[in-house]
Amino acid sequence: MPNNSSVTMFILLGLTPDAPKQKLVFFIFLIFYGGTFVGNTLIMVTIKFSRTLGSPMYFFLLYLAFADFCFSTTVAPRLIVDSLSANKIISYNECMTQVFTVHLFGSLEIFVLVLMAVDRYVAICKPLRYPTIMRRQVCVILTVFAWIGSFIHASSQIILLLKLPFCGPNLIDHYCCDLQPLLKLACTDTYVINLLLVSNSGVICSTSFLILMISYVVILHSLRNHSAEGRKKALSTCTTHIIVVMIFFVPCIFMYTRPPTTFPVDKMVTVFYTIGTPFLNPLIYTLRNAEVKNAMRKLWNVKIMTK
């Protein structure tokens, strides 16, 4: 990467400077990341090899699990290793790579959640046309566009960040490389850059959240014409999706739609959507979804019996 500054490495201050608390951080987030790895991998394998989970909803759920796994992996392993290290050093290139991957997989998760809302809208509001509209080719094309949009977003973020000169302080008061802490270290006026970054990340988060909320208002309004059993099933699916949307988007909007300032609570907010949400999503989708639980039982029972 072209380095526009004299700084070749940064020092991450982590979640806490207290040594005993750092050991606690190690064990807590090792458990969280282990759960994220197992839960999302289990969902991906189950959907991939199960014959009963072939609908578009589960096609998008597979990509959500993949995005969750990759999103958490860009941050959690370094946090876990650094919690046992006295010198939390990250090179300039590694820092910029982390910013890129966080925004790549974070925006991919946003776009997949939007696609899942579109799928639910078509399934509930236009059930007769659902097989035609949400056929497999359309789902694949939509997913490709989600990847392209994510790559464009992450690339625009990193291009703006690479223009900033870092020529003095290199202490990042965070456990990972993120936009606001890095803007704070730049030895130039970052007002314009921050506006461009906020207009990118902030608009994506806010607009996607608004689209999702409007889509669910329309969906819930249309449920009046369904049978009691149909309403119950649709509400169960939509409630799961709304929970996931709220626990992911609220922290993101808080972080990326504000002036270039940092707050003490930023670290915990970032922990929630980079590590907490990828850990919770598999639990939400498996505990509240009977089809996924039944498919897991059938698939893994067959594998155990085969062995």
Side-chain angles (χ1 to χ4, degrees):
M1 292 182 183
N3 191 339
N4 195 30
S5 64
S6 58
V7 172
T8 59
M9 63 181 64
F10 297 98
I11 299 174
L12 298 168
L13 297 184
L15 280 176
T16 174
D18 186 77
K21 289 182 179 178
Q22 287 187 17
K23 293 180 181 178
L24 185 62
V25 166
F26 170 81
F27 287 110
I28 289 175
F29 290 101
L30 182 63
I31 293 171
F32 267 79
Y33 183 64
T36 300
F37 177 86
V38 172
N40 286 291
T41 301
L42 190 61
I43 286 179
M44 286 188 285
V45 172
T46 300
I47 295 174
K48 182 69 177 176
F49 294 101
S50 175
R51 297 179 180 178
T52 60
L53 302 179
S55 68
M57 181 175 71
Y58 298 113
F59 176 84
F60 293 131
L61 179 56
L62 186 151
Y63 277 95
L64 180 66
F66 175 76
D68 274 333
F69 171 75
C70 295
F71 189 42
S72 182
T73 300
T74 61
V75 174
R78 175 168 284 277
L79 171 61
I80 293 167
V81 172
D82 284 350
S83 64
L84 298 180
S85 174
N87 299 315
K88 303 173 179 61
I89 296 173
I90 183 170
S91 71
Y92 178 89
N93 285 347
E94 288 175 328
C95 186
M96 296 301 117
T97 301
Q98 188 176 61
V99 172
F100 177 82
T101 53
V102 163
H103 282 270
L104 175 68
F105 294 113
S107 56
L108 178 63
E109 180 159 354
I110 288 174
F111 292 137
V112 171
L113 286 170
V114 171
L115 293 179
M116 292 176 74
V118 170
D119 173 70
R120 291 301 85 204
Y121 168 78
V122 177
I124 294 170
C125 299
K126 302 182 183 296
L128 297 179
R129 298 178 59 191
Y130 180 75
T132 304
I133 296 174
M134 299 304 295
R135 59 188 185 276
R136 179 51 65 100
Q137 295 91 332
V138 173
C139 293
V140 171
I141 292 170
L142 290 174
T143 305
V144 170
F145 277 119
W147 273 106
I148 293 172
S150 302
F151 183 80
I152 292 172
H153 163 70
S155 298
S156 62
Q157 297 291 85
I158 201 66
I159 288 170
L160 289 172
L161 205 55
L162 288 172
K163 293 179 180 294
L164 293 176
F166 299 96
C167 51
N170 66 343
L171 294 176
I172 300 177
D173 189 14
H174 215 296
Y175 65 87
C176 67
C177 289
D178 203 4
L179 298 177
Q180 297 293 357
L182 285 170
L183 287 173
K184 194 175 179 180
L185 297 180
C187 50
T188 186
D189 184 11
T190 60
Y191 179 76
V192 175
I193 295 289
N194 183 74
L195 283 180
L196 293 172
L197 292 172
V198 167
S199 65
N200 190 333
S201 296
V203 167
I204 287 177
C205 289
S206 302
T207 304
S208 299
F209 182 70
L210 185 62
I211 291 171
L212 288 165
M213 290 299 100
I214 291 173
S215 70
Y216 279 105
V217 169
V218 173
I219 289 171
L220 293 174
H221 183 265
S222 69
L223 288 177
R224 296 179 307 167
N225 302 322
H226 287 65
S227 64
E229 185 179 349
R231 283 199 300 269
K232 183 178 179 181
K233 184 176 181 181
L235 280 172
S236 177
T237 303
C238 291
T239 301
T240 301
H241 198 180
I242 290 171
I243 292 171
V244 171
V245 166
M246 293 299 294
I247 64 177
F248 182 78
F249 276 93
V250 172
C252 284
I253 292 172
F254 173 79
M255 292 298 298
Y256 295 114
T257 57
R258 70 185 199 209
T261 55
T262 56
F263 300 108
V265 74
D266 284 355
K267 295 180 186 179
M268 294 312 300
V269 172
T270 307
V271 163
F272 196 71
Y273 74 84
T274 58
I275 298 175
T277 303
F279 171 78
L280 291 173
N281 280 355
L283 297 177
I284 292 171
Y285 277 105
T286 53
L287 293 178
R288 293 183 57 85
N289 193 308
E291 289 182 351
V292 174
K293 287 189 289 187
N294 291 334
M296 283 183 178
R297 292 192 192 100
K298 291 178 181 178
L299 179 66
W300 294 104
N301 281 340
V302 169
K303 287 187 176 292
I304 291 171
M305 291 173 65
T306 303
K307 291 181 179 180

